[in-house]
Amino acid sequence: WVMNSIDKYMILFFYGPGEEGVFAIATKIPLLINMVYQVFLMAWQISTVDEYQKEDSTDYFNRVYRLIMSGMFIFASAILVIIKPFVLKFLSESYHESLQYIPVLLLGAIFSCLAGYLGNFYATFKHTKGSLKTATVCAVVNVILNYVLMQLYGILGVAIATMLSYVIIYVYRVKDTRKFVVLHTDFFRVIFSTGLIIIQMIFVEEGSGLKLIAGTTIICIAMLFLHKDVLFTIINGFTEKRKINI
């Protein structure tokens, strides 16, 4: 809420309500990722309290982290396959500018969810001051980056600043929550997945027609392959559950 408010009022102050409206439209698509995560979060918060005192709690937390991380990257990659045709077909031309911001905000939404997952440990282990501290740092960084990057890239700079702020709070919380639980954050896979999303961003920005669809689809398939172990785990879980129900 703080991050969105900072972005909104800085754009209103420097650029006016017109540009703020375009940016507001751009934020709606990344909200899909946050909505999916929030549904999961309701169940996760209960499970965290139930599991954290068990001997195998660290393994459980790591499995859930891998599920969230892989799921968010795959979901964002799938959105980027269809986002440009969707915007060009269903939004008026005055909002086509939002295509510059949506992919960057999608990437920011991924790291927002990952940081949110880590933030739950503060409540679970009764150290909520840490949540306030890391969120405050993120908000301050966002204000500074907004001002600097707006001078260089305009409204796109706001989207980049928001994305970088979420990356920073994610990294900060990874280190800060190690006093509670040691997660195998698999930075290699996070970095590689981020690289694939950035390549898709380039296709969305520069591509059109068959080149756009083929390029973004190939990258999405590469994303699925990168996270195939988690996908197989999910599929096997659904298969086993179906057998039990039958």
Side-chain angles (χ1 to χ4, degrees), residues 98-153:
S98 63
L99 273 171
Q100 300 178 52
Y101 319 135
I102 291 172
V104 181
L105 293 171
L106 271 174
L107 186 56
I110 295 171
F111 285 100
S112 171
C113 292
L114 293 177
Y117 172 75
L118 295 168
N120 284 300
F121 292 124
Y122 293 117
T124 301
F125 292 91
K126 301 176 182 178
H127 196 274
T128 51
K129 287 182 180 179
S131 180
L132 177 61
K133 177 183 67 176
T134 53
T136 301
V137 169
C138 182
V140 172
V141 168
N142 188 42
V143 171
I144 296 170
L145 288 177
N146 269 348
Y147 183 76
V148 173
L149 295 178
M150 282 172 70
Q151 313 305 314
L152 299 174
Y153 305 110

Side-chain angles (χ1 to χ4, degrees), residues 42-149:
M42 289 185 286
W44 156 245
Q45 287 176 324
I46 298 172
S47 298
T48 306
V49 176
D50 291 340
E51 295 287 337
Y52 87 98
Q53 291 181 330
K54 297 181 180 179
E55 291 183 2
D56 63 345
S57 61
T58 299
D59 291 335
Y60 171 75
F61 293 147
N62 275 285
R63 290 196 303 271
V64 174
Y65 168 82
R66 287 194 297 271
L67 174 64
I68 294 174
M69 185 261 289
S70 296
M72 294 297 98
F73 274 112
I74 291 171
F75 189 28
S77 182
I79 290 175
L80 287 174
V81 173
I82 62 171
I83 191 59
K84 190 167 187 176
F86 175 85
V87 169
L88 294 180
K89 183 173 181 61
F90 293 105
L91 296 185
S92 65
E93 189 173 347
S94 59
Y95 290 111
H96 289 180
E97 182 187 348
S98 63
L99 273 171
Q100 300 178 52
Y101 319 135
I102 291 172
V104 181
L105 293 171
L106 271 174
L107 186 56
I110 295 171
F111 285 100
S112 171
C113 292
L114 293 177
Y117 172 75
L118 295 168
N120 284 300
F121 292 124
Y122 293 117
T124 301
F125 292 91
K126 301 176 182 178
H127 196 274
T128 51
K129 287 182 180 179
S131 180
L132 177 61
K133 177 183 67 176
T134 53
T136 301
V137 169
C138 182
V140 172
V141 168
N142 188 42
V143 171
I144 296 170
L145 288 177
N146 269 348
Y147 183 76
V148 173
L149 295 178

